Amino acid sequence: MRQALCLALAAGLVACGKPAPPPEAPDVSVTEPAAPGADEIVKSPYEIGQPSEDDVDYAALAAYPAGWHVSTGWPGEYPAGFVVLDPGVKVAGRARPNPDEPASLTCPLPEYANYQIWNQPRVAADDLIFIVATKTVPVTMTADASIEYPTDNGMKVLELKRGDVLSYLRYLGEGFAIFGFNDAEYDINEAELRDISDLTAGVVDEDQWVDVTCMDGTRAWLLYDEVIAHDSIVPSPIVGFGEASDIYPDEVERVREDGLQAEALSDEPFDGGTGD
């Protein structure tokens, strides 16, 4: 189970040089994505290329217990991902995204593939679906406050009173998170709640899942924390906001080294900073 910062969650990956367009892989046919339009550039990271939650009830599919929130996309300004570095890699998967489901499926993955939400050729070709399950955290207001939050029709104000309890549902990016209150959900900048609630820079528990097409044509749900432990799989390299691709053979060793460094950094204890 992955632990994520409540405040200013970062993917914890190591940057590397921008790769050339993704190479052709024998098991999947990919095409270059169209240049993003202005409306795509301003989207939150978790929204890019994601299905509407009206299409599938992922919360029902995942069947997490009460106290967990399930939604599409992976959190963070630069969402996590993973790259397959060697041939013949097989990982254990599940029929549904729940850690209690037996990991009884064997899923072969293609060499050089980058399973990252911004790698749109791979997302489209393999019909990847990213979801996250987050253990909710109660947040109690310690003062009356008027909190601004964005909507499709501009900014609005949520009036809160001392003693009101919100539910921290998941992190988004750029300091924003989803909070639940009175059966509604609000995208709120966490800075708005500092000093007027008991929201802290602690950690929340979350599971990041991706539904993939395996090389044999079957499908499986993979848990990030499990696949990243494979010796031939490392965290995706960061090359720029909204940018990701499969890697070239001559990039393997550099990506491997950078990925191992990223994993080492992610294992360091959190120092209690606020993420400013």
Side-chain angles (χ1 to χ4, degrees):
M1 180 175 292
R2 183 171 182 269
Q3 289 192 315
L5 303 184
C6 280
L7 298 179
L9 178 67
L13 307 184
V14 174
C16 64
K18 180 178 179 180
E24 294 183 358
D27 59 294
V28 60
S29 176
V30 300
T31 57
E32 286 293 320
D39 60 331
E40 294 177 298
I41 293 174
V42 299
K43 284 183 178 180
S44 297
Y46 77 102
E47 295 179 311
I48 299 176
Q50 289 306 289
S52 166
E53 293 191 39
D54 294 333
D55 296 336
V56 177
D57 187 345
Y58 290 105
L61 176 65
Y64 271 71
W68 287 78
H69 178 77
V70 177
S71 56
T72 56
W74 283 8
E77 289 80 5
Y78 291 83
F82 57 92
V83 179
V84 182
L85 300 178
D86 302 309
V89 172
K90 297 180 180 180
V91 297
R94 294 172 171 82
R96 65 188 179 107
N98 187 296
D100 292 332
E101 182 84 5
S104 57
L105 305 179
T106 299
C107 182
L109 299 176
E111 187 179 17
Y112 312 133
N114 183 10
Y115 293 89
Q116 209 275 352
I117 199 170
W118 290 336
N119 186 7
Q120 286 304 297
R122 175 65 58 181
V123 170
D126 287 1
D127 193 22
L128 303 181
I129 302 295
F130 297 81
I131 70 169
V132 60
T134 309
K135 188 171 179 60
T136 61
V137 178
V139 177
T140 302
M141 298 298 297
T142 56
D144 296 351
S146 300
I147 303 298
E148 287 192 331
Y149 64 94
T151 72
D152 291 339
N153 299 315
M155 299 298 291
K156 293 190 176 181
V157 175
L158 175 65
E159 298 293 345
L160 296 171
K161 299 293 185 183
R162 178 186 174 91
D164 283 344
V165 179
L166 295 82
S167 182
Y168 185 101
L169 302 181
R170 65 160 288 173
Y171 187 73
L172 295 176
E174 301 296 336
F176 279 83
I178 300 179
F179 291 83
F181 182 67
N182 287 346
D183 298 321
E185 295 182 2
Y186 302 89
D187 295 359
I188 297 176
N189 189 330
E190 293 174 344
E192 294 281 328
L193 297 176
R194 294 174 188 168
D195 302 323
I196 58 171
S197 75
D198 63 357
L199 179 67
T200 68
V203 295
V204 293
D205 293 329
E206 64 179 15
D207 292 337
Q208 296 185 108
W209 296 91
V210 58
D211 185 25
V212 307
T213 300
C214 308
M215 289 181 68
D216 58 7
T218 62
R219 293 192 66 83
W221 284 96
L222 307 181
L223 182 60
Y224 176 81
D225 278 357
E226 293 178 348
V227 296
I228 205 66
H230 194 289
D231 289 342
S232 294
I233 295 177
V234 298
S236 298
I238 294 175
V239 297
F241 184 83
E243 300 178 25
S245 69
D246 287 353
I247 65 171
Y248 274 116
D250 61 5
E251 296 177 304
V252 167
E253 292 312 313
R254 174 172 55 80
V255 172
R256 190 191 309 272
E257 181 179 352
D258 290 346
L260 293 175
Q261 291 178 5
E263 290 179 336
L265 288 172
S266 67
D267 289 338
E268 292 182 359
F270 178 54
D271 64 5
T274 61
D276 288 338

